[in-house]
Amino acid sequence: MAEDVVAVLDHAEWTEPQSMVMVAMSMGGMIGQHVCQIVPDRLAGVLFLVTSFRYMLPDKTTPSIMALLTESRIERTKSFMKWMFSDQEWLEKFDTRYPEFPNNHDRMISDMFENKETMQAALGQLSAVLAHRLSQKQLEHIRERVPHIVCMTGENDLTLSPLGTEMLAMHLACKSVILPGKGHGIHEESEQEVVSEIRNILKRTIK
């Protein structure tokens, strides 16, 4: 999939050195790490969100993942909600940008329930995530070739252990941000913090 990303960049003729800031989240973060392997010189900065160089599953999530094989679609949606979001205050909040929903909880439920991904596709994605692993040499390659890297996670992430993101930051010798009380869906729960970090990277990279 990383090669597909690079193919799109090539097609768009986006090949200049240090011309791109990449934001890569979760499984996308794992793909992004391989993009860093292929075209490191094109990257001016990277923000890795809730991801790791190898998959680390929080212990309390394991039974829920196994239940996916037997749960109904509605129950699976409820399970995904628990994995993604832990900020109850945010879930109960009304977002004026989406007046059709009384709160973020109902908006996220609607988005997830409308997702037409099949069980086969979900299990294929899960197997790819579980197989992801970068070597020490690959991590060193990213650290040495890609400037301005930041890793960000939520302390209550139930999809991928926050320790995985912390360890990625340690191996890349980069800034690590852990958001208190947030889950895997920090792009929603902490939208302003994520946007602020992107802006900080852009400020450091724009010449």
Side-chain angles (χ1 to χ4, degrees), residues 173-192:
C174 70
K175 178 181 178 181
S176 176
V177 180
I178 304 173
L179 299 175
K182 307 301 180 181
H184 194 68
I186 57 173
H187 62 300
E188 290 281 0
E189 291 180 318
S190 299
E191 179 182 344
Q192 291 305 313

Side-chain angles (χ1 to χ4, degrees), residues 105-161:
H105 176 275
D106 287 12
R107 177 168 65 88
M108 292 295 100
I109 283 285
S110 177
D111 285 350
M112 290 184 179
F113 195 71
E114 289 300 317
N115 187 343
K116 303 301 183 182
E117 183 179 56
T118 64
M119 177 60 69
Q120 182 179 7
L123 291 175
Q125 180 178 345
L126 177 61
S127 65
V129 167
L130 293 175
H132 173 72
R133 182 182 293 268
L134 291 191
S135 67
Q136 185 65 38
K137 184 176 181 180
Q138 289 173 311
L139 290 164
E140 290 175 358
H141 180 78
I142 296 174
R143 184 176 69 239
E144 294 170 359
R145 299 287 297 279
V146 181
H148 306 301
I149 303 174
V150 176
C151 294
M152 179 181 283
T153 189
E155 71 168 352
N156 293 335
D157 191 343
L158 297 181
T159 301
L160 187 150
S161 173

Side-chain angles (χ1 to χ4, degrees), residues 73-86:
R73 188 178 177 194
I74 293 177
E75 291 304 313
R76 286 201 302 271
T77 300
K78 292 179 180 179
S79 292
F80 279 125
M81 284 291 293
K82 292 177 183 177
W83 298 344
M84 288 294 292
F85 308 110
S86 64

Side-chain angles (χ1 to χ4, degrees), residues 190-203:
S190 299
E191 179 182 344
Q192 291 305 313
E193 288 88 343
V194 172
V195 170
S196 177
E197 205 59 59
I198 294 171
R199 287 174 175 164
N200 288 337
I201 294 174
L202 287 170
K203 287 178 182 177

Side-chain angles (χ1 to χ4, degrees), residues 55-106:
Y55 189 67
M56 300 182 66
L57 180 69
D59 292 338
K60 66 183 70 175
T61 308
T62 306
S64 299
I65 285 186
M66 299 307 296
L68 279 177
L69 299 174
T70 57
E71 286 181 336
S72 68
R73 188 178 177 194
I74 293 177
E75 291 304 313
R76 286 201 302 271
T77 300
K78 292 179 180 179
S79 292
F80 279 125
M81 284 291 293
K82 292 177 183 177
W83 298 344
M84 288 294 292
F85 308 110
S86 64
D87 187 338
Q88 193 61 37
E89 182 178 349
W90 177 84
L91 286 169
E92 295 173 357
K93 188 176 180 180
F94 171 71
D95 192 326
T96 57
R97 296 172 298 179
Y98 308 97
E100 65 272 31
F101 297 104
N103 51 48
N104 286 318
H105 176 275
D106 287 12

